[in-house]
Amino acid sequence: MAEFTMDLNDEQKEVRDWLHGFAADVIRPAAAEWDEREETPWPVIQEAAKIGIYSLDFYAQQFFDPTGLGIPMAMEELFWGDAGIALSIVGTGLAAVGVLANGTEEQIGTWIPQMYGDANDVKVAAFCSSEPDAGSDVASMRTRAVYDAAKDEWVLNGTKTWATNGGIANVHVVVAVVDPELGSKGHASFIVPPNTPGLSQGQKFKKHGIRASHTAEVVLEDVRVPGSCLLGGKDKLDERMARARERAEAGGGERVKNAAMATFEASRPAVGAMAVGTARAAYEEALEYAKTRTQFGRPIIDNQGVAFQLADMRTQIDAARLLVWRASWMAATGKKFESAEGSMSKLFASETAKKVTGQAIQILGGNGFTREYPVERMHRDAAIYTIFEGTSEIQRLVIARTLSGLPVR
């Protein structure tokens, strides 16, 4: 088991510096343009593909880092460059992880390469779970999947929302209800192959932040996919649902819910790392500005009102990173989140990003309020961290329930 340490090894430092260079040289110069255009930055994704960042192999290598620090380190550096472009680069990973977690070897080998394409013809993928009436409350999901045994096909109907790359993806992974009586245990995931009839893009959202990342509704109208597109296969689904029915009859629903919560807990530190990257970027901009901006004959950092803000900003960023690294290390080494450490890391880091980016605007004054300086964009981007992958309110609920053992409402 890897011991927890704050010292990155030589290989990790090399990867960090490589990612930082890409973020500084390729992502940052393009950030303002693609934020204004509110379009997927295909040329930047292609550049990432050319050097191996936009690939399953790269993220797999970071995921299997025995210290658990590979993914949070990568997320922090890319999102330090720009949150919208970085999300366009890493967004396909949501769908890829869904296939890796639930698919067969044949499904993994068939579909994941089609999610990424290659450096000459990059593709993206979309993971479609949230719905207009089912965000945090996944049990309210309405998209249905009905099996047509005569044709060995699944028929999908429903509307998904807030889907990163939704509608423009080459491959969509869709979560749908197979058995409504089983709640979240009656859900299954399906591959929708390229150009499948019945799948269309609904509303494309014009967002407050992360505007270079495409977010849209995905509409499914009698979408037919082969039986082989059910992730894990029908035999595995039937066995899983049979066990769920048995547990429900025996009163084991709470244990099922806790198992699902543990899965989310393990993924939340990655979002925390994204928030740390954005916060760090804003802090560095504010620090440099405070050192060079003079008022009343001296740099504004000489004033305690500014200097103390910067001290607090840096302290909060380092604390957020520590929580993210602790949770990531715990997940990688199989330690239980007995105090909802995954939610703690996501909660604190996301709230820190909102606060720090706001303080950065205040330090830059009127300049910070304009799009001539990047902290304005960073502040808009930071707002998403307290919303997606579970709102801050949901994180607090998870933490409170874990600590108390009671159904806090």
Side-chain angles (χ1 to χ4, degrees):
M1 179 183 295
E3 294 296 325
F4 181 73
T5 176
M6 293 296 296
D7 292 325
L8 300 178
N9 59 41
D10 290 342
E11 183 178 351
Q12 290 170 325
K13 290 177 181 178
E14 183 177 348
V15 172
R16 179 199 61 193
D17 294 345
W18 174 53
L19 290 169
H20 186 80
F22 181 82
D25 298 339
V26 180
I27 293 178
R28 281 207 166 180
E33 175 188 352
W34 292 100
D35 177 71
E36 289 287 343
R37 292 175 63 167
E38 299 191 51
E39 296 174 358
T40 301
W42 293 106
V44 183
I45 299 174
Q46 187 172 37
E47 289 301 312
K50 287 179 179 177
I51 63 173
I53 293 176
Y54 185 69
S55 69
L56 177 64
D57 288 345
F58 170 72
Y59 291 107
Q61 289 173 11
Q62 303 316 307
F63 181 81
F64 289 112
D65 181 334
T67 69
L69 301 185
I71 289 294
M73 181 183 64
M75 295 299 108
E76 180 176 337
E77 294 303 328
L78 291 173
F79 281 74
W80 172 89
D82 176 69
I85 291 178
L87 191 58
S88 290
I89 293 172
V90 307
T92 292
L94 297 172
V97 168
V99 176
L100 283 170
N102 301 297
T104 64
E105 290 186 8
E106 182 179 357
Q107 289 170 331
I108 293 170
T110 298
W111 297 112
I112 290 184
Q114 295 187 51
M115 293 180 174
Y116 287 92
D118 57 48
N120 296 317
D121 185 22
V122 292
K123 305 291 185 182
V124 294
F127 183 75
C128 307
S129 178
S130 294
E131 298 184 1
D133 296 317
S136 300
D137 183 10
V138 294
S140 297
M141 189 177 294
R142 295 180 180 178
T143 297
R144 293 295 303 273
V146 178
Y147 185 58
D148 183 344
K151 296 183 177 180
D152 186 27
E153 292 179 338
W154 289 90
V155 184
L156 279 60
N157 281 283
T159 299
K160 295 295 182 179
T161 193
W162 310 122
T164 299
N165 299 328
I168 66 170
N170 196 45
V171 176
H172 291 76
V173 178
V174 177
V175 182
V177 178
V178 176
D179 187 338
E181 295 182 359
L182 293 177
S184 62
K185 299 306 291 184
H187 298 175
S189 296
F190 299 85
I191 292 285
V192 180
N195 303 314
T196 298
L199 184 147
S200 62
Q201 178 183 307
Q203 176 186 5
K204 177 188 175 183
F205 296 104
K206 296 181 72 66
K207 305 188 299 296
H208 175 66
I210 54 167
R211 302 198 305 192
S213 174
H214 176 96
T215 310
E217 291 181 331
V218 174
V219 180
L220 305 134
E221 297 178 305
D222 291 329
V223 173
R224 286 183 169 268
V225 298
S228 60
C229 287
L230 167 63
L231 289 181
K234 193 168 186 305
D235 290 344
K236 183 177 179 181
L237 173 65
D238 289 343
E239 292 174 5
R240 176 166 61 82
M241 290 199 300
R243 290 195 301 270
R245 292 187 189 99
E246 291 174 2
R247 281 195 292 263
E249 292 173 0
E254 186 67 26
R255 189 167 70 86
V256 172
K257 182 175 67 177
N258 289 339
M261 187 184 75
T263 300
F264 286 118
E265 278 291 284
S267 68
R268 283 170 175 156
V271 179
M274 298 174 187
V276 171
T278 300
R280 189 184 111 209
Y283 158 76
E284 291 176 0
E285 291 286 339
L287 175 63
E288 185 61 27
Y289 185 88
K291 290 162 64 176
T292 57
R293 169 71 167 173
T294 59
Q295 289 288 280
F296 305 105
R298 61 181 183 178
I300 63 173
I301 199 171
D302 283 357
N303 299 303
Q304 284 188 359
V306 173
F308 285 8
Q309 280 194 78
L310 288 162
D312 287 343
M313 292 159 73
R314 176 58 186 268
T315 300
Q316 290 158 1
I317 291 167
D318 282 12
R321 185 184 297 107
L322 277 169
L323 285 171
V324 167
W325 281 23
R326 179 185 70 168
S328 301
W329 172 76
M330 290 176 68
T333 54
K335 293 188 177 296
K336 293 181 179 180
F337 290 126
E338 295 181 351
S339 300
E341 288 86 352
S343 284
M344 284 184 182
S345 70
K346 197 269 184 183
L347 170 65
F348 190 80
S350 59
E351 293 289 343
T352 293
K354 282 187 67 175
K355 183 176 181 179
V356 166
T357 55
Q359 288 175 304
I361 289 178
Q362 192 68 26
I363 290 171
L364 269 68
N367 287 329
F369 199 66
T370 72
R371 294 189 182 181
E372 296 299 315
Y373 288 78
V375 294
E376 180 272 341
R377 184 181 68 251
M378 294 168 183
H379 187 51
R380 287 189 285 107
D381 291 341
I384 193 60
Y385 300 126
T386 62
I387 298 172
F388 71 178
E389 193 73 16
T391 64
S392 287
E393 291 74 21
I394 289 294
Q395 307 308 323
R396 292 185 175 99
L397 191 65
V398 169
I399 295 166
R401 286 177 173 177
T402 303
L403 296 178
S404 68
L406 300 173
V408 179
R409 301 184 191 282

